[in-house]
Amino acid sequence: MAKRLTVSASPHVRSHETTTGIMLDVIIALVPALVMSAVYFGTRALALTAVTVGSAVLCEYLSRKIMKRDNTLGDLSAVVTGLILAFNLPATLPLWMAAIGSVIAIVIVKQMFGGIGQNFVNPAITARIILMMSFPTAMAKWIVPFSSAWSPDAVTAATPMAVLAGVTGGDVSAVEGLPSLTQMLIGAHGGSMGEVCSVALLAGALYLLLRRVISPAIPFSFIGTVAVIMLIAGKGNLQFLAYELLGGGLILGAFFMATDYSTSPINRKGRIIFGIGCGLITAVIRLFGSLPEGVSFSIILMNILVPHIERLTTNKPFGYEKPEKKKEEAQA
Amino acid sequence: MSKLIGGVLGPVGHGRGGVSVAHNKNTAELPVERMPIPARVVLPMQQHIGAPCVPTVKVGDTVAVGQVIGDTDKFVSAPIHATVSGKVVAVGDVKLANGLITKGITIESDGEMRLFEGLEPPKVTNRQELFAAVRASGLVGLGGAGFPTHVKLNTPPDKKIDTLVINAAECEPYITVDYRECIENSKNIMDGVYTLKELLGIKNVIIAIEDNKPKAFKNLKEIADLDNDRGDEVKLMVLKSRYPQGAEKMMVLSATGRRVPPGKLPADVGCIVMNVGSAAFVARYLATGKPLISRSITVDGSAIANPKNLRVPIGTNIQDIIDYCGGFKADPRKIISGGPMMGVAICDTNAPICKQNNAILAFADRKGTVKRERACIRCGRCVEVCPMGLMPTLIERYARIRDVDGLTHSHTNVCMECGSCAYACPSGRPLVQYMRLAKQVLREEGAK
């Protein structure tokens, strides 16, 4: 025999799915929303994305190098983190601040905890929250779509969520400054560069669901919980409900960030609990909090609870029966 | 005879479980060919789960086909018979395909295939005689596990068995010997089924076949329909083709809807599961008295010049079998004894075929057989596909830090090493290897 035989543990066939392939699917799913944000906010949106993705990749490379670990750029997860971070930022944010966001996401949140699969909170969301606290003004400068995000004195506008925060009782018909529902759907309103266009995000989400990259458990329980609470809070006003569901980062958060593998439970039961928890916190912050938007905080809070959720929801093995009979015997 | 359609793989509570693996049943239409008698055979004394046999012949003895050459008085075991006639040339250590070294007997064939005098059909009229006859035949589970069949059939009297499940699922890719058995020896199968049913006093028989083998199903049904006057107690069932449909516990669930609890056997829920080839062998043995001296194997894979289904004497050298199939048409990079999902990668073809071997597969490239190993991304695919409802990635973590409590609470020992988790893992983690490590850790810590 000329060549040596490979001896390895079974199975000797493997599926074609790879980590890189999964991340590539996520990138593909984010492309429509990226294109739409370039339409609304111009080339500034693309420049911002280039900076976050570029610095995320650089951070990943350097931190692996410095820690003398193998290079993990090939799994494309740094690209995904960079993209999602950009989606969470206003298009006008100074580029150096965006780069700081990438450093926080990759170096502190991801690599210092051991790299892909080991971080306990979502890197992009943590970076967004730290940026919000560090640069509150820059992180809340929402410009009107189609005005140039490059110019320092672009017209700014409140986000629909900020407007809605002043609404009580769900009657939205008389509220001034709210975009129309069509505008909400196609994204022609103020907000983070990637969260505005609901249609593009939903198209990407559908792609991920069909490719089975994400399971429907988290997004559906998340959005469903928000919907139920908002229906009650809005006294059944469907218009109010529609604004709540399309506005803010709910769709982006529920489909693309809460579903992050590393920071969400591993089985279906846990995922449903996780999604409901995210929905509850989001709704409570939106209705009662001083912040207009709560998706990021809800996800990060639930991220922290994941180990506890998992402990409560471990799978029971095939054919497992609760050992009740033994107790009865012991009592008898 | 009626037909049942059903068999959704997987416990309802944990999703469906299992994976879709490319079937690659390339040899399905190749009739089983008889291989010429090899010049020598090597017969290991352990070709089954349980106690090894002790050689009953010595170097220089002349033996005939079907003569007992190894036996033991232990219950969980099966005797070894000479598979060619000739002279015993060695009794001692032999190397098995998986690298283990065990005691074995080497026989040089005289080419005559002289039958041992005194081989005659056993008289079987009741359970005890059946168990004795099955033991004497040397039969072990031909599906791959190699559990002595007489032990499996001899269920304790307190366990009431009402269903015999005949396993013709053959869910492993490439292997087609059970399929060929259904096509070529369907009469034997049905004879075996009725004999076992009557002697064991089992009410229902379910013959389960995956839906990718319609011809085998049709064939069995035609024969079975001839026996309609015997009542409707033997049923044919079409199962969904999904790996690991043929695993014993999955089979019981798909065929009867019953769940075998962790650590229990099918007998605990009133079932006996038997491979279709084993059932056919029982019929042949009771008719002829010829013990288990040969078996069918599939020889396939991208490195094999002429893939075949072969009937070979047990103990035939693997290299001889490959040479008979035209040798390698390309340098083999991986050779597997058994199927690609649960088979063993072998490092040397100079080893004998044992009773439980059902395939020799040789592949010319490693592509598709190994995947680059990356860190676990907690995607949950292993949890989703585990037919036993386990959490493989969690067990891997516990195994690596030797956390006995974690391993116990994760029900590690329920794992049957079907390989679905490792198949599905996008990060290419060798999860089956970790499962074995986990069980090893539990054994070691339990022994302390």
Side-chain angles (χ1 to χ4, degrees), chain B residues 118-124 129 133 136 282-291:
Chain B
L119 287 186
E120 52 183 40
K123 285 198 190 77
V124 173
E129 283 172 7
V282 169
R284 283 198 292 272
Y285 176 68
L286 295 182
T288 65
K290 224 167 147 183

Side-chain angles (χ1 to χ4, degrees), chain A residues 313-325:
Chain A
T313 56
T314 37
N315 284 0
K316 293 286 167 281
F318 178 78
Y320 182 79
E321 289 156 2
K322 277 185 189 166
E324 282 171 282
K325 280 179 187 170

Side-chain angles (χ1 to χ4, degrees), chain A residues 16-285:
Chain A
H16 299 295
E17 240 176 347
T18 59
T19 308
T20 310
I22 290 172
M23 295 300 160
L24 198 61
D25 271 342
V26 178
I27 294 170
I28 291 170
L30 290 170
V31 165
L34 181 66
V35 170
M36 288 314 288
S37 66
V39 169
Y40 293 129
F41 304 113
T43 47
R44 186 70 168 62
L46 296 179
L48 191 73
T49 310
V51 168
T52 54
V53 171
S55 49
V57 169
L58 188 68
C59 286
E60 173 109 347
Y61 175 76
L62 288 178
S63 39
R64 297 299 291 191
K65 187 116 190 153
I66 291 166
M67 292 191 286
K68 295 193 173 63
R69 290 187 174 154
D70 57 329
N71 182 346
T72 50
L73 288 186
D75 64 27
L76 296 179
S77 63
V79 177
V80 171
T81 305
L83 270 175
I84 291 189
L85 175 62
F87 277 32
N88 276 289
L89 303 174
T92 53
L93 191 77
L95 298 179
W96 62 272
M97 290 186 193
I100 289 182
S102 287
V103 174
I104 296 166
I106 298 293
V107 177
I108 297 178
V109 183
K110 187 178 169 195
Q111 290 302 338
M112 283 197 174
F113 285 91
I116 188 167
Q118 300 292 324
N119 49 294
F120 70 103
V121 282
N122 187 305
I125 294 182
T126 315
R128 171 194 154 100
I129 289 174
I130 293 177
L131 288 177
M132 268 165 70
M133 289 166 169
S134 315
F135 313 108
T137 324
M139 281 294 288
K141 192 180 176 195
W142 315 111
I143 59 157
V144 175
F146 304 116
S147 62
S148 172
W150 289 107
S151 97
D153 41 38
V155 188
T156 58
T159 66
M161 295 325 291
V163 178
L164 276 179
V167 176
T168 46
D171 186 11
V172 288
S173 52
V175 181
E176 293 221 359
L178 259 188
S180 72
L181 274 177
T182 322
Q183 281 176 314
M184 291 295 292
L185 212 56
I186 61 167
H189 60 87
S192 299
M193 59 163 267
E195 75 180 25
V196 289
C197 185
S198 305
V199 175
L201 286 172
L202 288 172
L206 186 68
Y207 175 76
L208 288 187
L209 286 170
L210 290 178
R211 295 277 295 164
R212 304 191 68 139
V213 169
I214 59 171
S215 86
I218 292 176
F220 284 30
S221 58
F222 188 166
I223 295 175
T225 308
V226 173
V228 169
I229 298 176
M230 289 306 171
L231 205 58
I232 298 166
K235 304 195 174 88
N237 188 324
L238 292 177
Q239 231 183 340
F240 174 75
L241 178 68
Y243 277 107
E244 284 291 352
L245 295 187
L246 296 174
L250 184 59
I251 293 173
L252 176 66
F255 285 101
F256 295 92
M257 302 198 293
T259 52
D260 172 27
Y261 292 144
S262 309
T263 55
S264 63
I266 207 160
N267 62 10
R268 193 192 293 151
K269 216 197 287 174
R271 284 173 179 165
I272 291 172
I273 295 175
F274 177 86
I276 293 174
C278 286
L280 272 177
I281 300 173
T282 301
V284 166
I285 293 178

Side-chain angles (χ1 to χ4, degrees), chain A residues 6 8 12 17 264 316 318, chain B residues 14 333-334 340 371 388:
Chain A
T6 306
S8 61
H12 309 290
E17 240 176 347
S264 63
K316 293 286 167 281
F318 178 78
Chain B
H14 306 299
R333 299 302 307 274
K334 196 167 204 178
K371 205 189 266 186
M388 289 288 110

Side-chain angles (χ1 to χ4, degrees), chain A residues 212, chain B residues 4-10 16-20 23 168-171 208-213 237-246 250-251 254-255:
Chain A
R212 304 191 68 139
Chain B
L4 299 170
I5 302 274
V8 177
L9 178 70
R16 287 192 315 175
V19 288
S20 316
H23 300 308
E170 202 162 57
C171 59
I209 303 184
E210 279 193 344
D211 59 10
N212 62 350
K213 305 172 188 73
M237 188 169 193
V238 181
L239 305 175
K240 214 171 140 178
S241 303
R242 193 168 172 86
Y243 183 85
Q245 187 66 268
M250 293 298 109
M251 200 79 219
S254 294

Side-chain angles (χ1 to χ4, degrees), chain B residues 140-151:
Chain B
V140 302
L142 296 179
F147 191 73
T149 306
H150 71 100
V151 182

